[in-house]
mmCIF file of all heavy atoms in Angstrom:
data_model
loop_
_atom_site.group_PDB
_atom_site.id
_atom_site.type_symbol
_atom_site.label_atom_id
_atom_site.label_comp_id
_atom_site.label_asym_id
_atom_site.label_seq_id
_atom_site.Cartn_x
_atom_site.Cartn_y
_atom_site.Cartn_z
ATOM 1 N N ASN W 599 85.490 20.242 -84.905
ATOM 2 C CA ASN W 599 84.510 20.009 -85.968
ATOM 3 C C ASN W 599 83.135 20.506 -85.535
ATOM 4 O O ASN W 599 82.188 19.706 -85.405
ATOM 5 C CB ASN W 599 84.446 18.511 -86.317
ATOM 6 C CG ASN W 599 85.784 17.939 -86.720
ATOM 7 O OD1 ASN W 599 86.172 17.991 -87.884
ATOM 8 N ND2 ASN W 599 86.512 17.392 -85.750
ATOM 9 N N PRO W 600 83.003 21.789 -85.260
ATOM 10 C CA PRO W 600 81.715 22.307 -84.767
ATOM 11 C C PRO W 600 80.587 22.110 -85.777
ATOM 12 O O PRO W 600 80.749 22.400 -86.967
ATOM 13 C CB PRO W 600 82.001 23.807 -84.549
ATOM 14 C CG PRO W 600 83.181 24.096 -85.414
ATOM 15 C CD PRO W 600 83.998 22.851 -85.445
ATOM 16 N N GLY W 601 79.462 21.573 -85.274
ATOM 17 C CA GLY W 601 78.296 21.380 -86.129
ATOM 18 C C GLY W 601 78.370 20.171 -87.043
ATOM 19 O O GLY W 601 77.467 19.931 -87.840
ATOM 20 N N ASP W 602 79.422 19.373 -86.949
ATOM 21 C CA ASP W 602 79.584 18.199 -87.812
ATOM 22 C C ASP W 602 79.067 16.969 -87.064
ATOM 23 O O ASP W 602 79.736 16.417 -86.186
ATOM 24 C CB ASP W 602 81.063 18.020 -88.171
ATOM 25 C CG ASP W 602 81.275 16.954 -89.247
ATOM 26 O OD1 ASP W 602 80.417 16.069 -89.401
ATOM 27 O OD2 ASP W 602 82.311 17.030 -89.930
ATOM 28 N N ALA W 603 77.857 16.534 -87.430
ATOM 29 C CA ALA W 603 77.224 15.408 -86.737
ATOM 30 C C ALA W 603 77.996 14.109 -86.966
ATOM 31 O O ALA W 603 78.104 13.270 -86.064
ATOM 32 C CB ALA W 603 75.772 15.251 -87.206
ATOM 33 N N GLU W 604 78.537 13.926 -88.169
ATOM 34 C CA GLU W 604 79.275 12.707 -88.468
ATOM 35 C C GLU W 604 80.550 12.632 -87.633
ATOM 36 O O GLU W 604 80.906 11.569 -87.110
ATOM 37 C CB GLU W 604 79.633 12.675 -89.956
ATOM 38 C CG GLU W 604 80.441 11.457 -90.401
ATOM 39 C CD GLU W 604 79.702 10.137 -90.213
ATOM 40 O OE1 GLU W 604 78.448 10.159 -90.092
ATOM 41 O OE2 GLU W 604 80.365 9.084 -90.198
ATOM 42 N N ALA W 605 81.240 13.763 -87.477
ATOM 43 C CA ALA W 605 82.453 13.787 -86.658
ATOM 44 C C ALA W 605 82.116 13.499 -85.197
ATOM 45 O O ALA W 605 82.851 12.780 -84.505
ATOM 46 C CB ALA W 605 83.146 15.150 -86.784
ATOM 47 N N GLU W 606 80.990 14.016 -84.720
ATOM 48 C CA GLU W 606 80.569 13.762 -83.340
ATOM 49 C C GLU W 606 80.270 12.285 -83.131
ATOM 50 O O GLU W 606 80.625 11.693 -82.102
ATOM 51 C CB GLU W 606 79.341 14.608 -83.006
ATOM 52 C CG GLU W 606 78.897 14.472 -81.546
ATOM 53 C CD GLU W 606 77.738 15.385 -81.207
ATOM 54 O OE1 GLU W 606 77.302 16.150 -82.096
ATOM 55 O OE2 GLU W 606 77.254 15.320 -80.068
ATOM 56 N N ARG W 607 79.623 11.665 -84.149
ATOM 57 C CA ARG W 607 79.320 10.237 -84.056
ATOM 58 C C ARG W 607 80.613 9.418 -84.000
ATOM 59 O O ARG W 607 80.755 8.508 -83.179
ATOM 60 C CB ARG W 607 78.464 9.809 -85.261
ATOM 61 C CG ARG W 607 78.038 8.342 -85.221
ATOM 62 C CD ARG W 607 77.336 7.935 -86.502
ATOM 63 N NE ARG W 607 78.225 7.988 -87.644
ATOM 64 C CZ ARG W 607 79.115 7.045 -87.942
ATOM 65 N NH1 ARG W 607 79.238 5.971 -87.169
ATOM 66 N NH2 ARG W 607 79.884 7.164 -88.996
ATOM 67 N N LYS W 608 81.561 9.773 -84.877
ATOM 68 C CA LYS W 608 82.837 9.064 -84.893
ATOM 69 C C LYS W 608 83.571 9.246 -83.566
ATOM 70 O O LYS W 608 84.191 8.318 -83.045
ATOM 71 C CB LYS W 608 83.705 9.594 -86.039
ATOM 72 C CG LYS W 608 83.200 9.206 -87.418
ATOM 73 C CD LYS W 608 83.541 7.777 -87.772
ATOM 74 C CE LYS W 608 85.021 7.556 -87.930
ATOM 75 N NZ LYS W 608 85.345 6.168 -88.328
ATOM 76 N N PHE W 609 83.497 10.454 -83.040
ATOM 77 C CA PHE W 609 84.162 10.754 -81.773
ATOM 78 C C PHE W 609 83.631 9.861 -80.656
ATOM 79 O O PHE W 609 84.394 9.320 -79.842
ATOM 80 C CB PHE W 609 83.949 12.232 -81.442
ATOM 81 C CG PHE W 609 84.662 12.698 -80.216
ATOM 82 C CD1 PHE W 609 86.038 12.835 -80.190
ATOM 83 C CD2 PHE W 609 83.951 13.021 -79.065
ATOM 84 C CE1 PHE W 609 86.697 13.279 -79.057
ATOM 85 C CE2 PHE W 609 84.599 13.456 -77.933
ATOM 86 C CZ PHE W 609 85.982 13.595 -77.932
ATOM 87 N N LYS W 610 82.316 9.678 -80.623
ATOM 88 C CA LYS W 610 81.712 8.824 -79.595
ATOM 89 C C LYS W 610 82.093 7.364 -79.805
ATOM 90 O O LYS W 610 82.363 6.630 -78.844
ATOM 91 C CB LYS W 610 80.197 8.990 -79.616
ATOM 92 C CG LYS W 610 79.728 10.368 -79.136
ATOM 93 C CD LYS W 610 78.215 10.494 -79.190
ATOM 94 C CE LYS W 610 77.753 11.852 -78.683
ATOM 95 N NZ LYS W 610 76.281 12.003 -78.746
ATOM 96 N N GLU W 611 82.112 6.917 -81.051
ATOM 97 C CA GLU W 611 82.486 5.525 -81.330
ATOM 98 C C GLU W 611 83.929 5.254 -80.918
ATOM 99 O O GLU W 611 84.242 4.213 -80.345
ATOM 100 C CB GLU W 611 82.307 5.233 -82.821
ATOM 101 C CG GLU W 611 80.854 5.141 -83.277
ATOM 102 C CD GLU W 611 80.739 4.838 -84.757
ATOM 103 O OE1 GLU W 611 81.793 4.796 -85.437
ATOM 104 O OE2 GLU W 611 79.610 4.627 -85.235
ATOM 105 N N ILE W 612 84.809 6.207 -81.205
ATOM 106 C CA ILE W 612 86.221 6.060 -80.830
ATOM 107 C C ILE W 612 86.359 5.969 -79.318
ATOM 108 O O ILE W 612 87.081 5.125 -78.784
ATOM 109 C CB ILE W 612 87.031 7.258 -81.373
ATOM 110 C CG1 ILE W 612 87.053 7.237 -82.907
ATOM 111 C CG2 ILE W 612 88.459 7.253 -80.823
ATOM 112 C CD1 ILE W 612 87.441 8.573 -83.505
ATOM 113 N N GLY W 613 85.641 6.850 -78.609
ATOM 114 C CA GLY W 613 85.695 6.841 -77.149
ATOM 115 C C GLY W 613 85.178 5.550 -76.559
ATOM 116 O O GLY W 613 85.755 4.994 -75.610
ATOM 117 N N GLU W 614 84.060 5.067 -77.116
ATOM 118 C CA GLU W 614 83.481 3.825 -76.600
ATOM 119 C C GLU W 614 84.427 2.654 -76.841
ATOM 120 O O GLU W 614 84.652 1.818 -75.958
ATOM 121 C CB GLU W 614 82.134 3.563 -77.278
ATOM 122 C CG GLU W 614 81.437 2.311 -76.748
ATOM 123 C CD GLU W 614 80.148 2.012 -77.483
ATOM 124 O OE1 GLU W 614 79.862 2.688 -78.495
ATOM 125 O OE2 GLU W 614 79.436 1.095 -77.047
ATOM 126 N N ALA W 615 85.020 2.593 -78.048
ATOM 127 C CA ALA W 615 85.929 1.495 -78.374
ATOM 128 C C ALA W 615 87.132 1.482 -77.432
ATOM 129 O O ALA W 615 87.514 0.434 -76.893
ATOM 130 C CB ALA W 615 86.391 1.622 -79.830
ATOM 131 N N TYR W 616 87.705 2.629 -77.208
ATOM 132 C CA TYR W 616 88.881 2.681 -76.340
ATOM 133 C C TYR W 616 88.527 2.386 -74.887
ATOM 134 O O TYR W 616 89.299 1.751 -74.159
ATOM 135 C CB TYR W 616 89.549 4.048 -76.454
ATOM 136 C CG TYR W 616 90.815 4.144 -75.643
ATOM 137 C CD1 TYR W 616 91.944 3.407 -75.997
ATOM 138 C CD2 TYR W 616 90.889 4.950 -74.511
ATOM 139 C CE1 TYR W 616 93.100 3.465 -75.246
ATOM 140 C CE2 TYR W 616 92.042 5.022 -73.749
ATOM 141 C CZ TYR W 616 93.144 4.281 -74.125
ATOM 142 O OH TYR W 616 94.295 4.338 -73.378
ATOM 143 N N GLU W 617 87.349 2.835 -74.465
ATOM 144 C CA GLU W 617 86.921 2.598 -73.085
ATOM 145 C C GLU W 617 86.898 1.108 -72.754
ATOM 146 O O GLU W 617 87.296 0.696 -71.666
ATOM 147 C CB GLU W 617 85.542 3.223 -72.860
ATOM 148 C CG GLU W 617 84.895 2.883 -71.535
ATOM 149 C CD GLU W 617 85.629 3.497 -70.345
ATOM 150 O OE1 GLU W 617 86.445 4.406 -70.563
ATOM 151 O OE2 GLU W 617 85.378 3.046 -69.215
ATOM 152 N N PHE W 618 86.470 0.316 -73.717
ATOM 153 C CA PHE W 618 86.391 -1.137 -73.469
ATOM 154 C C PHE W 618 87.728 -1.826 -73.694
ATOM 155 O O PHE W 618 88.125 -2.692 -72.915
ATOM 156 C CB PHE W 618 85.310 -1.760 -74.356
ATOM 157 C CG PHE W 618 83.919 -1.435 -73.909
ATOM 158 C CD1 PHE W 618 83.148 -0.516 -74.598
ATOM 159 C CD2 PHE W 618 83.363 -2.025 -72.784
ATOM 160 C CE1 PHE W 618 81.874 -0.191 -74.183
ATOM 161 C CE2 PHE W 618 82.085 -1.714 -72.355
ATOM 162 C CZ PHE W 618 81.335 -0.783 -73.056
ATOM 163 N N LEU W 619 88.435 -1.448 -74.750
ATOM 164 C CA LEU W 619 89.662 -2.176 -75.078
ATOM 165 C C LEU W 619 90.811 -1.856 -74.129
ATOM 166 O O LEU W 619 91.742 -2.644 -74.000
ATOM 167 C CB LEU W 619 90.072 -1.873 -76.523
ATOM 168 C CG LEU W 619 89.102 -2.351 -77.601
ATOM 169 C CD1 LEU W 619 89.684 -2.078 -78.987
ATOM 170 C CD2 LEU W 619 88.793 -3.849 -77.455
ATOM 171 N N LYS W 620 90.783 -0.703 -73.454
ATOM 172 C CA LYS W 620 91.862 -0.382 -72.532
ATOM 173 C C LYS W 620 91.739 -1.162 -71.223
ATOM 174 O O LYS W 620 92.707 -1.269 -70.462
ATOM 175 C CB LYS W 620 91.883 1.124 -72.242
ATOM 176 C CG LYS W 620 90.781 1.640 -71.318
ATOM 177 C CD LYS W 620 90.869 3.149 -71.189
ATOM 178 C CE LYS W 620 89.788 3.703 -70.261
ATOM 179 N NZ LYS W 620 90.062 3.428 -68.860
ATOM 180 N N ASP W 621 90.541 -1.717 -70.952
ATOM 181 C CA ASP W 621 90.317 -2.516 -69.748
ATOM 182 C C ASP W 621 90.574 -3.984 -70.089
ATOM 183 O O ASP W 621 89.868 -4.559 -70.927
ATOM 184 C CB ASP W 621 88.877 -2.327 -69.264
ATOM 185 C CG ASP W 621 88.628 -3.027 -67.933
ATOM 186 O OD1 ASP W 621 88.839 -4.263 -67.879
ATOM 187 O OD2 ASP W 621 88.214 -2.356 -66.979
ATOM 188 N N PRO W 622 91.580 -4.611 -69.488
ATOM 189 C CA PRO W 622 91.930 -5.998 -69.851
ATOM 190 C C PRO W 622 90.759 -6.980 -69.741
ATOM 191 O O PRO W 622 90.589 -7.851 -70.600
ATOM 192 C CB PRO W 622 93.046 -6.351 -68.857
ATOM 193 C CG PRO W 622 93.639 -5.033 -68.474
ATOM 194 C CD PRO W 622 92.494 -4.070 -68.463
ATOM 195 N N GLN W 623 89.941 -6.847 -68.692
ATOM 196 C CA GLN W 623 88.821 -7.777 -68.517
ATOM 197 C C GLN W 623 87.756 -7.559 -69.588
ATOM 198 O O GLN W 623 87.241 -8.515 -70.179
ATOM 199 C CB GLN W 623 88.222 -7.607 -67.118
ATOM 200 C CG GLN W 623 89.154 -8.042 -65.993
ATOM 201 C CD GLN W 623 88.509 -7.926 -64.619
ATOM 202 O OE1 GLN W 623 87.473 -7.292 -64.467
ATOM 203 N NE2 GLN W 623 89.121 -8.555 -63.622
ATOM 204 N N LYS W 624 87.400 -6.292 -69.845
ATOM 205 C CA LYS W 624 86.398 -6.006 -70.878
ATOM 206 C C LYS W 624 86.912 -6.417 -72.256
ATOM 207 O O LYS W 624 86.157 -6.912 -73.095
ATOM 208 C CB LYS W 624 86.041 -4.525 -70.866
ATOM 209 C CG LYS W 624 85.289 -4.078 -69.626
ATOM 210 C CD LYS W 624 84.957 -2.601 -69.706
ATOM 211 C CE LYS W 624 84.208 -2.134 -68.465
ATOM 212 N NZ LYS W 624 83.898 -0.692 -68.519
ATOM 213 N N ARG W 625 88.211 -6.216 -72.486
ATOM 214 C CA ARG W 625 88.773 -6.585 -73.785
ATOM 215 C C ARG W 625 88.727 -8.092 -73.980
ATOM 216 O O ARG W 625 88.405 -8.569 -75.078
ATOM 217 C CB ARG W 625 90.211 -6.069 -73.885
ATOM 218 C CG ARG W 625 90.870 -6.396 -75.220
ATOM 219 C CD ARG W 625 92.252 -5.785 -75.317
ATOM 220 N NE ARG W 625 92.877 -6.097 -76.591
ATOM 221 C CZ ARG W 625 94.077 -5.673 -76.968
ATOM 222 N NH1 ARG W 625 94.785 -4.893 -76.159
ATOM 223 N NH2 ARG W 625 94.578 -6.011 -78.153
ATOM 224 N N ALA W 626 89.045 -8.827 -72.920
ATOM 225 C CA ALA W 626 89.005 -10.292 -73.024
ATOM 226 C C ALA W 626 87.591 -10.770 -73.317
ATOM 227 O O ALA W 626 87.381 -11.689 -74.132
ATOM 228 C CB ALA W 626 89.531 -10.911 -71.731
ATOM 229 N N ALA W 627 86.596 -10.154 -72.672
ATOM 230 C CA ALA W 627 85.200 -10.527 -72.923
ATOM 231 C C ALA W 627 84.794 -10.177 -74.337
ATOM 232 O O ALA W 627 84.097 -10.951 -75.012
ATOM 233 C CB ALA W 627 84.300 -9.812 -71.906
#
């Protein structure tokens, strides 16, 4: 999605969400 700011924002949100939920301790918190 070159040049698509909304897609870039969604991409970052998806990455951040998975980064926390894949860690059992962070997910529990």
